[in-house]
């Protein structure tokens, strides 16, 4: 019930203080089913409820890799919004939780696009256990309806950047942060989401051409690994290897390699999260129309133009864009897993023939 969920989330305000061991025993006594355990584990990980049982807290800690950090934050935010709305008299306490969650999206997110509502429906379905729902028949049907609406709605892409805007961003970032300038540079050269760049550490970039005779002075190899949205559970994919080759701006490649040499082991390259980067782009009138997705949108469109002009094999576009599905005949995961020479593997895939043109 709603009252149970809300009370458990706010139990620290309603129950009298007890000794830690007594609290732990009392909470353990109240857990009677596997579903209740799963619900408490998710609520704990979403920081909406603190588990007192030390063994269950240990399990909860080991569940964290299930979702990316940003995913946990998104789910926690949506759960918080729903729980706040459920406390209002307009939330229809007489209806099942499944219907109330659907009503929350329809009423509180009425001003948003169908794709946004669809994301809320999908996320709340994934939180069914945390909300005490054994099944979600109403949310399931609502999600199907939203999918149909989204399919017929025009796609709203991020605004592409102009050469002048890119020059401004590189110049402005170099005034205060070389790592930020290098992050922007790689986002453009690799047609990446900002979250992809945010995941890069020093160890994920092979840059020392003196130690690898297959790597040229104007190249680095990026090993995306499990840092991509599409490879979190499958790191051995052809889309996980990008060769960045620089032809027209050698000073940028030199600056990148010099910075990588100065980085400490395990250090992250990118100094800004997606949210911070979005705010930074909006802080200048010259780039206020851009978003973090502008880098990927611009460069994928540019590669399509290059393919039409005969300068680029179109089969490289999904590889550089880090897209893969069953229709694309990339190398199987097992083959990639066995090849230990990562520079040779990356160059065999051929993405350098695309990045040199970006």
């Amino acid at each position: 019930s709603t009252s149970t969920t809300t009370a458990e989330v706010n139990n620290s305000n309603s129950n009298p203080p007890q000794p830690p061991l007594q609290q732990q025993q009392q909470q353990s006594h109240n857990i009677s089913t596997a579903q209740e355990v799963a619900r408490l584990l998710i609520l704990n990980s979403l920081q909406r409820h603190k588990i007192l049982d030390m063994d269950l807290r240990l399990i909860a800690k080991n569940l964290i890799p299930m979702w990316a950090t940003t995913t946990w934050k998104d789910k926690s935010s949506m759960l918080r919004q729903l729980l706040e709305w459920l406390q209002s008299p307009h939330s229809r306490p007489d209806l099942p939780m499944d219907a109330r969650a659907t009503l929350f999206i329809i009423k509180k997110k009425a001003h948003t696009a169908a794709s946004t509502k669809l994301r809320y429906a999908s996320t709340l379905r994934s939180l069914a256990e945390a909300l005490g729902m054994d099944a979600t028949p109403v949310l399931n049907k609502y999600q199907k309806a939203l999918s149909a609406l989204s399919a017929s709605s025009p796609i709203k892409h991020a605004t592409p950047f102009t050469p002048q805007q890119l020059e401004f961003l590189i110049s402005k970032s170099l005034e205060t942060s070389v790592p930020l300038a290098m992050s922007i540079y790689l986002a453009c050269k690799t047609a990446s989401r900002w979250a992809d760049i945010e995941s890069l550490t020093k160890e994920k970039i092979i840059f020392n051409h003196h130690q690898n005779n297959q790597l040229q002075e104007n190249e680095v190899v990026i090993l995306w690994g499990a840092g991509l949205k599409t490879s979190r559970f499958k790191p051995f994919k052809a889309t996980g290897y990008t060769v960045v080759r620089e032809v027209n701006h050698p000073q940028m490649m030199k600056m990148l390699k010099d910075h990588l040499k100065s980085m400490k082991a395990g250090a992250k390259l990118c100094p800004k999260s997606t949210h911070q980067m979005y705010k930074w782009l909006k802080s200048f009138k010259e780039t206020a129309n851009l978003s973090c997705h502008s880098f990927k949108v611009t460069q994928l469109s540019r590669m399509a133009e290059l393919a039409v002009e005969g300068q680029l094999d179109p089969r490289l576009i999904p590889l550089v864009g880090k897209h893969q599905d069953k229709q694309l005949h990339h190398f199987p995961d097992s083959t990639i897993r066995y090849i230990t020479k990562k520079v040779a593997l990356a160059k065999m895939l051929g993405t350098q023939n695309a990045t040199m043109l970006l």
Side-chain angles (χ1 to χ4, degrees):
S1 68
T2 306
S3 58
T4 302
T5 303
T6 306
E8 287 180 345
V9 171
N10 298 301
N11 69 338
S12 60
N13 298 326
S14 56
N15 296 332
Q18 296 173 310
L21 181 60
Q22 186 177 345
Q23 285 183 327
Q24 179 175 328
Q25 291 172 339
Q26 180 178 331
Q27 187 184 59
S28 300
H29 179 73
N30 292 334
I31 301 173
S32 56
T33 65
Q35 288 82 2
E36 181 65 14
V37 171
R39 187 161 85 93
L40 287 173
L41 290 173
I42 295 297
L43 283 171
N44 179 84
S45 299
L46 291 168
Q47 298 181 343
R48 306 305 303 174
H49 179 92
K50 185 175 181 179
I51 293 179
L52 301 175
D53 187 297
M54 297 305 293
D55 287 328
L56 291 183
R57 286 174 69 176
L58 181 62
I59 295 175
K61 181 179 178 181
N62 282 272
L63 292 182
I64 294 299
M66 178 172 65
W67 293 321
T69 302
T70 52
T71 304
W72 280 110
K73 289 180 179 178
D74 287 344
K75 289 179 183 291
S76 181
S77 173
M78 290 187 192
L79 181 61
R80 175 185 54 78
Q81 294 176 57
L82 174 60
L83 290 176
E84 288 175 356
W85 186 75
L86 289 176
Q87 296 179 47
S88 72
H90 306 292
S91 65
R92 292 297 303 275
D94 57 306
L95 294 176
M97 177 63 75
D98 179 30
R100 300 178 73 194
T102 304
L103 203 57
F104 160 74
I105 302 171
I106 294 172
K107 287 189 172 183
K108 297 298 290 183
K109 302 298 167 183
H111 62 287
T112 61
S115 58
T116 302
K117 294 186 181 75
L118 182 60
R119 185 167 64 88
Y120 268 80
S122 176
T123 300
L124 292 180
R125 280 186 65 203
S126 73
L127 293 173
E129 287 176 332
L131 291 164
M133 296 187 288
D134 294 328
T136 57
V138 181
L139 266 176
N140 294 349
K141 291 178 173 58
Y142 183 51
Q143 187 170 3
K144 284 185 179 180
L146 290 173
S147 297
L149 282 175
S150 297
S152 60
S153 301
I155 299 175
K156 185 179 179 181
H157 283 302
T159 304
F161 63 74
T162 64
Q164 293 77 19
Q165 285 178 312
L166 178 57
E167 186 177 344
F168 171 83
L169 288 173
I170 294 292
S171 175
K172 184 60 68 173
S173 58
L174 282 174
E175 291 177 6
T176 56
S177 174
V178 170
L180 179 58
M182 296 301 95
S183 298
I184 295 171
Y185 171 67
L186 286 181
C188 293
K189 292 292 285 185
T190 61
S192 293
R193 299 163 58 248
W194 193 258
D196 300 340
I197 302 299
E198 194 183 342
S199 73
L200 291 178
T201 60
K202 181 176 183 176
E203 288 70 24
K204 290 185 177 181
I205 306 176
I206 301 175
F207 62 91
N208 196 331
H209 56 275
H210 296 297
Q211 295 179 359
N212 196 311
N213 57 15
Q214 291 184 323
L215 191 67
Q216 298 178 23
E217 189 175 355
N218 65 336
E219 294 174 337
V220 297
V221 173
I222 298 180
L223 311 176
W224 300 103
L228 300 174
K229 183 179 181 181
T230 56
S231 67
R232 180 164 177 78
F233 302 106
K234 288 187 175 182
F236 297 102
K237 296 172 67 175
T239 50
Y241 303 84
T242 303
V243 182
V244 178
R245 177 180 290 173
E246 185 54 72
V247 176
N248 298 317
H249 304 92
Q251 76 281 5
M252 295 299 293
M253 179 59 69
K254 183 180 184 306
M255 191 182 303
L256 174 63
K257 291 195 174 189
D258 288 344
H259 178 67
L260 289 169
K261 289 176 187 175
S262 70
M263 288 173 62
K264 294 181 180 179
K268 281 190 146 190
L269 171 69
C270 184
K272 289 187 183 293
S273 67
T274 300
H275 180 65
Q276 290 169 334
M277 186 60 184
Y278 178 82
K279 290 177 67 176
W280 188 77
L281 290 170
K282 298 298 181 183
S283 68
F284 308 109
K285 68 178 188 304
E286 292 87 350
T287 59
N289 64 325
L290 303 181
S291 70
C292 295
H293 226 54
S294 294
F295 303 110
K296 191 179 187 78
V297 167
T298 304
Q299 301 300 63
L300 284 174
S301 298
R302 178 58 185 148
M303 283 189 284
E305 292 174 338
L306 291 167
V308 171
E309 295 167 4
Q311 299 185 57
L312 180 65
D313 183 344
R315 289 174 294 184
L316 288 174
I317 297 176
L319 267 181
V320 178
K322 296 164 282 294
H323 299 149
Q324 183 166 332
D325 60 33
K326 294 177 182 179
Q327 304 297 319
L328 299 174
H329 303 295
H330 297 330
F331 285 85
D333 296 10
S334 53
T335 302
I336 292 173
R337 184 190 293 267
Y338 273 103
I339 298 176
T340 58
K341 303 292 185 181
K342 299 307 180 187
V343 173
L345 169 62
K347 297 194 78 169
M348 176 189 70
L349 294 170
T351 52
Q352 65 272 16
N353 297 318
T355 62
M356 64 181 287
L357 301 173
L358 298 178

